[in-house]
Amino acid sequence: MPSQRRLNSRQKRSLSSKDKLEGKIGAVFFQNLPKQPGIYKFKGKQGDILYVGKAKNLRTRLSQYRNAKVGLSSRKTIRIIRLTWSIDFEVCESETA
């Protein structure tokens, strides 16, 4: 059984409804994502790149961020989600391309 992490009050607040990706980017974005391999970039308010990732299935991978929960996801993941204002993606031939 996994141990429960203790969260301080700042961490508990770190993913409020206004911080969730769906609220900032929109549900349609996630529904229209391709089920193909590719790369994705999380960008901040000023367009700065916060994180670059790769995926075998872009829709599945980015949905994991969409559904992230405080206490179940890493602090790094929650922080990236909180700071993200847009997501760019590019379909590739394979995850290794």
Side-chain angles (χ1 to χ4, degrees):
M1 181 181 228
S3 63
Q4 291 288 326
R5 288 186 251 165
R6 295 190 123 195
L7 302 173
N8 65 37
S9 60
R10 184 173 177 205
Q11 289 170 322
K12 288 178 185 175
R13 291 192 320 257
S14 66
L15 200 58
S16 65
S17 59
K18 69 180 174 112
D19 289 330
K20 291 185 178 180
L21 286 177
E22 189 172 328
K24 291 191 266 186
I25 296 172
V28 173
F29 172 84
F30 291 98
Q31 292 166 357
N32 292 331
L33 284 168
K35 294 180 179 182
Q36 297 171 298
I39 62 152
Y40 54 92
K41 300 175 205 169
F42 284 20
K43 294 186 174 184
K45 203 172 196 175
Q46 306 298 323
D48 49 319
I49 296 174
L50 303 171
Y51 182 77
V52 177
K54 63 179 182 168
K56 291 179 184 177
N57 180 323
L58 286 164
R59 184 181 296 176
T60 300
R61 182 66 186 113
L62 291 173
S63 290
Q64 291 172 340
Y65 287 104
R66 176 188 185 186
N67 298 319
K69 306 245 186 297
V70 174
L72 298 177
S73 301
S74 71
R75 287 186 292 172
K76 174 185 155 188
T77 298
I78 298 301
R79 182 170 170 77
I80 289 169
I81 291 169
R82 187 176 57 79
L83 295 173
T84 297
W85 283 78
S86 66
I87 301 173
D88 292 342
F89 66 89
E90 185 177 321
V91 173
C92 300
E93 288 182 34
S94 72
E95 183 186 21
T96 58

